[in-house]
Coordinates of all heavy atoms in Angstrom, one line a residue:
F125 N -3.8 6.8 -14.1 CA -2.9 5.8 -13.6 C -1.7 5.8 -14.5 O -1.7 6.0 -15.7 CB -3.5 4.4 -13.8 CG -4.7 4.1 -12.9 CD1 -5.4 3.0 -13.0 CD2 -5.0 5.0 -11.9 CE1 -6.5 2.7 -12.1 CE2 -6.1 4.8 -11.1 CZ -6.8 3.7 -11.2
F126 N -0.5 5.5 -13.9 CA 0.7 5.3 -14.7 C 0.8 3.8 -15.0 O 0.7 3.0 -14.2 CB 2.0 5.7 -13.8 CG 2.0 7.2 -13.6 CD1 1.6 7.7 -12.4 CD2 2.6 8.0 -14.6 CE1 1.7 9.1 -12.1 CE2 2.6 9.4 -14.3 CZ 2.2 9.9 -13.1
S127 N 1.1 3.5 -16.3 CA 1.2 2.1 -16.7 C 2.6 1.6 -16.5 O 3.6 2.4 -16.6 CB 0.8 2.0 -18.2 OG -0.5 2.3 -18.3
L128 N 2.8 0.4 -16.3 CA 4.1 -0.2 -16.1 C 4.6 -0.6 -17.4 O 4.4 -1.7 -17.9 CB 4.0 -1.5 -15.2 CG 5.3 -2.1 -14.8 CD1 6.3 -1.1 -14.1 CD2 5.1 -3.3 -13.9
L129 N 5.4 0.3 -18.1 CA 5.8 0.1 -19.5 C 7.3 -0.3 -19.5 O 7.7 -1.0 -20.5 CB 5.6 1.4 -20.3 CG 4.2 1.9 -20.4 CD1 4.1 3.2 -21.1 CD2 3.3 0.9 -21.0
C130 N 8.1 0.2 -18.6 CA 9.5 -0.1 -18.7 C 10.0 -1.3 -18.0 O 11.2 -1.6 -18.1 CB 10.3 1.2 -18.2 SG 10.3 1.3 -16.4
S131 N 9.2 -2.0 -17.2 CA 9.6 -3.2 -16.5 C 9.0 -4.4 -17.0 O 7.8 -4.4 -17.5 CB 9.2 -3.0 -15.0 OG 9.9 -1.9 -14.4
V132 N 9.7 -5.5 -17.1 CA 9.2 -6.7 -17.5 C 8.9 -7.5 -16.2 O 9.8 -7.8 -15.5 CB 10.2 -7.5 -18.4 CG1 9.7 -8.9 -18.8 CG2 10.5 -6.7 -19.6
L133 N 7.7 -7.8 -16.0 CA 7.3 -8.5 -14.8 C 7.1 -10.0 -15.1 O 6.2 -10.3 -16.0 CB 6.0 -8.0 -14.2 CG 6.2 -6.5 -13.7 CD1 4.9 -6.0 -13.2 CD2 7.2 -6.4 -12.6
L134 N 7.9 -10.9 -14.5 CA 7.8 -12.3 -14.7 C 7.0 -13.0 -13.6 O 7.4 -12.8 -12.4 CB 9.1 -12.9 -14.9 CG 10.0 -12.3 -16.0 CD1 11.4 -13.0 -16.0 CD2 9.3 -12.4 -17.4
L135 N 6.0 -13.7 -13.9 CA 5.3 -14.4 -12.8 C 5.5 -15.9 -13.0 O 5.1 -16.5 -14.1 CB 3.8 -14.1 -12.9 CG 2.9 -14.5 -11.7 CD1 3.4 -13.9 -10.5 CD2 1.5 -14.3 -12.0
L136 N 6.0 -16.6 -12.0 CA 6.4 -18.0 -12.2 C 5.2 -18.9 -11.9 O 5.2 -20.1 -12.3 CB 7.5 -18.4 -11.3 CG 8.8 -17.5 -11.5 CD1 9.9 -18.0 -10.6 CD2 9.2 -17.6 -13.0
S137 N 4.2 -18.4 -11.1 CA 3.0 -19.3 -10.8 C 1.8 -18.7 -11.5 O 1.5 -17.5 -11.2 CB 2.8 -19.4 -9.3 OG 1.6 -20.0 -9.0
C138 N 1.2 -19.4 -12.3 CA 0.0 -18.8 -13.0 C -1.1 -18.5 -12.1 O -2.0 -17.8 -12.5 CB -0.4 -19.8 -14.2 SG -1.0 -21.4 -13.6
E139 N -1.1 -19.1 -10.9 CA -2.2 -18.9 -10.0 C -2.1 -17.5 -9.3 O -3.0 -16.9 -8.9 CB -2.2 -20.0 -8.9 CG -2.5 -21.3 -9.4 CD -2.5 -22.4 -8.3 OE1 -2.0 -22.0 -7.2 OE2 -2.9 -23.5 -8.5
N140 N -0.8 -17.0 -9.3 CA -0.6 -15.7 -8.6 C -0.7 -14.5 -9.6 O 0.2 -13.7 -9.6 CB 0.8 -15.8 -8.0 CG 0.9 -16.8 -6.9 OD1 0.0 -17.6 -6.7 ND2 1.9 -16.8 -6.1
S141 N -1.7 -14.4 -10.3 CA -1.9 -13.3 -11.2 C -2.1 -12.1 -10.5 O -2.8 -12.0 -9.5 CB -3.0 -13.6 -12.2 OG -4.2 -13.7 -11.5
F142 N -1.5 -10.9 -10.9 CA -1.6 -9.7 -10.2 C -1.5 -8.5 -11.2 O -1.2 -8.7 -12.3 CB -0.5 -9.6 -9.1 CG 0.9 -9.4 -9.8 CD1 1.4 -8.1 -9.9 CD2 1.6 -10.5 -10.2 CE1 2.6 -8.0 -10.6 CE2 2.8 -10.3 -10.8 CZ 3.3 -9.1 -11.0
K143 N -1.8 -7.3 -10.7 CA -1.7 -6.1 -11.5 C -0.7 -5.2 -10.8 O -0.5 -5.2 -9.6 CB -3.0 -5.4 -11.5 CG -3.1 -4.3 -12.5 CD -4.5 -3.7 -12.6 CE -4.5 -2.6 -13.6 NZ -5.9 -2.0 -13.7
S144 N 0.0 -4.4 -11.6 CA 1.1 -3.5 -11.0 C 0.9 -2.1 -11.7 O 0.6 -2.0 -12.8 CB 2.4 -4.1 -11.3 OG 3.5 -3.1 -10.9
E145 N 1.1 -1.1 -10.8 CA 1.2 0.3 -11.3 C 2.5 0.9 -10.7 O 2.9 0.5 -9.6 CB 0.0 1.1 -10.9 CG -1.3 0.6 -11.5 CD -1.5 0.9 -12.9 OE1 -0.8 1.7 -13.5 OE2 -2.4 0.3 -13.5
Y146 N 3.0 1.9 -11.3 CA 4.2 2.6 -10.7 C 4.2 4.0 -11.1 O 3.6 4.4 -12.1 CB 5.5 1.9 -11.0 CG 6.1 2.3 -12.3 CD1 7.4 2.7 -12.3 CD2 5.4 2.2 -13.5 CE1 8.0 3.0 -13.6 CE2 6.0 2.5 -14.7 CZ 7.3 2.9 -14.7 OH 7.9 3.3 -15.9
S147 N 4.9 4.9 -10.4 CA 5.1 6.2 -10.7 C 6.3 6.4 -11.7 O 7.3 5.7 -11.6 CB 5.4 7.1 -9.5 OG 6.5 6.7 -8.8
S148 N 6.1 7.2 -12.7 CA 7.1 7.2 -13.8 C 8.4 7.7 -13.5 O 9.4 7.5 -14.2 CB 6.5 8.1 -14.9 OG 6.3 9.4 -14.5
N149 N 8.6 8.3 -12.3 CA 9.9 8.7 -11.9 C 10.6 7.7 -11.0 O 11.5 8.0 -10.3 CB 9.9 10.1 -11.2 CG 8.9 10.1 -10.0 OD1 8.3 9.0 -9.8 ND2 8.8 11.2 -9.4
A150 N 10.2 6.5 -11.0 CA 10.6 5.5 -10.0 C 11.6 4.5 -10.5 O 11.7 3.4 -10.0 CB 9.5 4.8 -9.3
N151 N 12.3 4.8 -11.6 CA 13.2 3.8 -12.2 C 14.6 4.1 -12.1 O 15.4 3.4 -12.7 CB 12.8 3.6 -13.7 CG 13.1 4.8 -14.5 OD1 13.1 5.9 -14.0 ND2 13.3 4.6 -15.8
I152 N 15.1 5.1 -11.4 CA 16.5 5.5 -11.3 C 16.9 5.6 -9.9 O 16.2 6.3 -9.1 CB 16.8 6.8 -12.1 CG1 16.5 6.6 -13.6 CG2 18.2 7.2 -11.9 CD1 16.7 7.9 -14.4
E153 N 18.0 5.0 -9.5 CA 18.6 5.2 -8.2 C 19.7 6.2 -8.3 O 20.7 6.0 -9.0 CB 19.1 3.9 -7.6 CG 19.7 4.1 -6.3 CD 20.4 2.8 -5.8 OE1 20.3 1.8 -6.5 OE2 21.1 2.9 -4.7
N154 N 19.6 7.4 -7.6 CA 20.6 8.4 -7.6 C 21.4 8.4 -6.3 O 20.8 8.4 -5.2 CB 19.9 9.8 -7.8 CG 19.3 9.9 -9.2 OD1 20.0 9.9 -10.2 ND2 18.0 10.0 -9.2
S155 N 22.7 8.6 -6.4 CA 23.5 8.9 -5.2 C 24.7 9.7 -5.7 O 24.9 9.9 -6.9 CB 23.9 7.6 -4.5 OG 24.9 6.9 -5.4
E156 N 25.5 10.2 -4.8 CA 26.7 11.0 -5.1 C 27.7 10.1 -5.8 O 28.5 10.5 -6.6 CB 27.3 11.6 -3.9 CG 26.3 12.7 -3.3 CD 27.0 13.4 -2.1 OE1 28.1 12.9 -1.7 OE2 26.3 14.3 -1.5
E157 N 27.7 8.8 -5.5 CA 28.7 7.9 -6.0 C 28.3 7.2 -7.3 O 29.2 7.0 -8.2 CB 29.1 6.9 -5.0 CG 29.6 7.5 -3.7 CD 29.9 6.4 -2.6 OE1 29.6 5.2 -2.9 OE2 30.4 6.7 -1.6
N158 N 27.1 6.9 -7.5 CA 26.7 6.2 -8.7 C 25.2 6.4 -9.0 O 24.5 6.9 -8.3 CB 27.0 4.7 -8.6 CG 26.2 4.0 -7.5 OD1 25.4 4.7 -6.8 ND2 26.4 2.8 -7.2
I159 N 24.9 6.0 -10.3 CA 23.5 6.0 -10.7 C 23.2 4.6 -11.2 O 23.9 4.1 -12.1 CB 23.2 7.0 -11.8 CG1 23.5 8.4 -11.3 CG2 21.8 6.9 -12.3 CD1 23.3 9.5 -12.3
K160 N 22.2 3.9 -10.5 CA 21.9 2.6 -11.0 C 20.5 2.7 -11.6 O 19.6 3.2 -11.0 CB 21.9 1.6 -9.8 CG 23.3 1.4 -9.2 CD 23.3 0.3 -8.1 CE 23.1 -1.0 -8.7 NZ 23.2 -2.1 -7.7
I161 N 20.4 2.2 -12.8 CA 19.1 2.2 -13.5 C 18.4 0.8 -13.4 O 19.0 -0.2 -13.7 CB 19.4 2.6 -15.0 CG1 20.0 4.0 -15.1 CG2 18.1 2.6 -15.8 CD1 20.4 4.4 -16.5
V162 N 17.2 0.9 -13.1 CA 16.4 -0.3 -13.0 C 16.0 -0.8 -14.4 O 15.4 -0.1 -15.2 CB 15.1 -0.1 -12.1 CG1 14.3 -1.4 -12.1 CG2 15.5 0.3 -10.7
E163 N 16.4 -2.0 -14.7 CA 16.0 -2.6 -16.0 C 14.7 -3.3 -15.9 O 13.8 -3.1 -16.9 CB 17.1 -3.6 -16.4 CG 16.8 -4.3 -17.8 CD 17.9 -5.2 -18.2 OE1 17.8 -6.4 -17.8 OE2 18.9 -4.8 -18.8
S164 N 14.4 -4.0 -14.9 CA 13.1 -4.7 -14.8 C 12.9 -5.2 -13.3 O 13.8 -5.1 -12.5 CB 13.1 -5.9 -15.7 OG 14.1 -6.9 -15.4
I165 N 11.6 -5.6 -13.1 CA 11.2 -6.2 -11.8 C 10.8 -7.6 -12.1 O 10.0 -7.8 -12.9 CB 10.1 -5.4 -11.2 CG1 10.5 -3.9 -11.0 CG2 9.7 -6.0 -9.8 CD1 11.6 -3.6 -10.1
K166 N 11.4 -8.5 -11.4 CA 11.0 -9.9 -11.5 C 10.2 -10.4 -10.3 O 10.7 -10.1 -9.2 CB 12.2 -10.8 -11.7 CG 11.9 -12.3 -11.9 CD 13.2 -13.1 -12.1 CE 13.0 -14.6 -12.2 NZ 14.3 -15.3 -12.3
I167 N 9.1 -11.0 -10.5 CA 8.3 -11.5 -9.4 C 8.5 -13.0 -9.3 O 8.1 -13.8 -10.2 CB 6.8 -11.2 -9.6 CG1 6.6 -9.7 -9.8 CG2 6.0 -11.7 -8.4 CD1 7.1 -8.8 -8.6
N168 N 9.2 -13.4 -8.3 CA 9.5 -14.8 -8.1 C 8.3 -15.5 -7.3 O 7.5 -14.8 -6.7 CB 10.8 -15.0 -7.3 CG 12.0 -14.4 -8.0 OD1 12.2 -14.6 -9.2 ND2 12.7 -13.6 -7.2
E169 N 8.3 -16.8 -7.4 CA 7.4 -17.6 -6.6 C 7.8 -17.5 -5.1 O 9.0 -17.7 -4.8 CB 7.3 -19.0 -7.1 CG 6.2 -19.8 -6.4 CD 6.0 -21.2 -7.0 OE1 6.8 -21.6 -7.9 OE2 5.1 -21.9 -6.7
A170 N 6.8 -17.3 -4.2 CA 7.1 -17.2 -2.8 C 7.3 -18.7 -2.3 O 6.6 -19.6 -2.8 CB 6.0 -16.5 -2.0
P171 N 8.2 -18.8 -1.3 CA 8.3 -20.1 -0.6 C 6.9 -20.6 -0.1 O 6.2 -19.8 0.5 CB 9.3 -19.9 0.5 CG 10.1 -18.7 0.1 CD 9.1 -17.8 -0.7
K172 N 6.7 -21.9 -0.2 CA 5.4 -22.4 0.3 C 5.2 -22.2 1.8 O 4.0 -22.1 2.3 CB 5.3 -23.9 -0.1 CG 5.4 -24.2 -1.6 CD 4.2 -23.6 -2.4 CE 4.2 -24.0 -3.8 NZ 3.2 -23.4 -4.6
H173 N 6.2 -22.1 2.5 CA 6.1 -22.0 4.0 C 6.0 -20.6 4.5 O 6.0 -20.4 5.7 CB 7.3 -22.7 4.6 CG 8.6 -22.0 4.3 ND1 9.4 -22.4 3.2 CD2 9.3 -20.9 4.9 CE1 10.5 -21.6 3.1 NE2 10.4 -20.7 4.1
S174 N 5.9 -19.6 3.6 CA 5.8 -18.2 4.0 C 4.6 -18.0 4.9 O 3.5 -18.3 4.5 CB 5.7 -17.3 2.8 OG 6.9 -17.4 2.0
K175 N 4.9 -17.5 6.1 CA 3.8 -17.3 7.1 C 3.1 -16.0 7.0 O 2.0 -15.8 7.4 CB 4.3 -17.5 8.5 CG 4.9 -18.9 8.8 CD 5.4 -19.0 10.2 CE 6.0 -20.4 10.5 NZ 6.6 -20.4 11.9
T176 N 3.7 -15.0 6.4 CA 3.2 -13.7 6.2 C 3.6 -13.1 4.9 O 4.6 -13.5 4.3 CB 3.8 -12.7 7.4 OG1 5.2 -12.7 7.2 CG2 3.4 -13.3 8.7
P177 N 2.9 -12.0 4.4 CA 3.3 -11.3 3.2 C 4.7 -10.8 3.3 O 5.5 -10.8 2.3 CB 2.3 -10.2 3.1 CG 1.1 -10.7 3.7 CD 1.6 -11.5 4.9
S178 N 5.1 -10.3 4.5 CA 6.5 -9.7 4.7 C 7.6 -10.8 4.5 O 8.7 -10.6 4.0 CB 6.6 -9.1 6.1 OG 6.4 -10.0 7.1
E179 N 7.2 -12.0 4.9 CA 8.2 -13.1 4.7 C 8.3 -13.5 3.2 O 9.3 -13.8 2.6 CB 7.8 -14.3 5.5 CG 8.8 -15.5 5.4 CD 8.4 -16.6 6.3 OE1 7.6 -16.4 7.3 OE2 9.0 -17.7 6.1
A180 N 7.1 -13.5 2.5 CA 7.0 -13.9 1.1 C 7.8 -12.8 0.3 O 8.5 -13.2 -0.7 CB 5.6 -14.0 0.7
I181 N 7.6 -11.5 0.5 CA 8.1 -10.5 -0.3 C 9.6 -10.5 -0.4 O 10.2 -10.1 -1.4 CB 7.6 -9.1 0.1 CG1 7.6 -8.2 -1.1 CG2 8.4 -8.5 1.2 CD1 6.8 -8.6 -2.3
T182 N 10.3 -11.0 0.6 CA 11.8 -11.0 0.6 C 12.3 -12.0 -0.3 O 13.6 -12.0 -0.6 CB 12.4 -11.3 2.1 OG1 11.8 -12.5 2.5 CG2 12.0 -10.1 3.0
H183 N 11.5 -12.9 -0.9 CA 11.9 -13.8 -1.9 C 11.3 -13.5 -3.3 O 11.8 -13.9 -4.3 CB 11.4 -15.2 -1.5 CG 11.9 -15.7 -0.2 ND1 13.2 -16.3 -0.1 CD2 11.4 -15.6 1.0 CE1 13.4 -16.6 1.2 NE2 12.4 -16.3 1.9
Q184 N 10.2 -12.6 -3.3 CA 9.4 -12.4 -4.5 C 9.9 -11.2 -5.3 O 10.0 -11.3 -6.6 CB 8.0 -12.3 -4.2 CG 7.2 -13.5 -3.8 CD 5.8 -13.3 -3.5 OE1 5.4 -12.6 -2.6 NE2 4.9 -13.8 -4.4
F185 N 10.1 -10.1 -4.7 CA 10.2 -8.8 -5.4 C 11.7 -8.6 -5.7 O 12.5 -8.0 -4.9 CB 9.7 -7.7 -4.5 CG 9.6 -6.3 -5.2 CD1 8.7 -6.1 -6.2 CD2 10.5 -5.3 -4.8 CE1 8.6 -4.8 -6.8 CE2 10.4 -4.1 -5.5 CZ 9.4 -3.8 -6.4
E186 N 12.1 -9.0 -6.9 CA 13.5 -8.9 -7.3 C 13.8 -7.8 -8.3 O 13.2 -7.8 -9.3 CB 14.0 -10.3 -7.9 CG 15.5 -10.3 -8.2 CD 15.9 -11.7 -8.7 OE1 15.1 -12.6 -8.8 OE2 17.1 -11.8 -9.0

Side-chain angles (χ1 to χ4, degrees):
F125 295 172
F126 292 99
S127 298
L128 184 58
L129 300 177
C130 71
S131 295
V132 178
L133 296 176
L134 302 178
L135 190 64
L136 301 183
S137 171
C138 62
E139 295 179 351
N140 294 10
S141 60
F142 69 94
K143 188 174 180 180
S144 175
E145 300 283 348
Y146 85 125
S147 59
S148 59
N149 54 0
N151 66 332
I152 298 177
E153 176 186 356
N154 292 296
S155 73
E156 294 180 357
E157 298 179 356
N158 63 3
I159 297 176
K160 295 184 73 174
I161 300 176
V162 176
E163 181 178 89
S164 62
I165 305 295
K166 182 181 179 183
I167 305 301
N168 301 312
E169 186 173 7
K172 300 295 184 183
H173 62 268
S174 298
K175 297 179 180 179
T176 61
S178 59
E179 186 177 343
I181 204 62
T182 57
H183 301 274
Q184 285 183 292
F185 188 72
E186 184 175 2

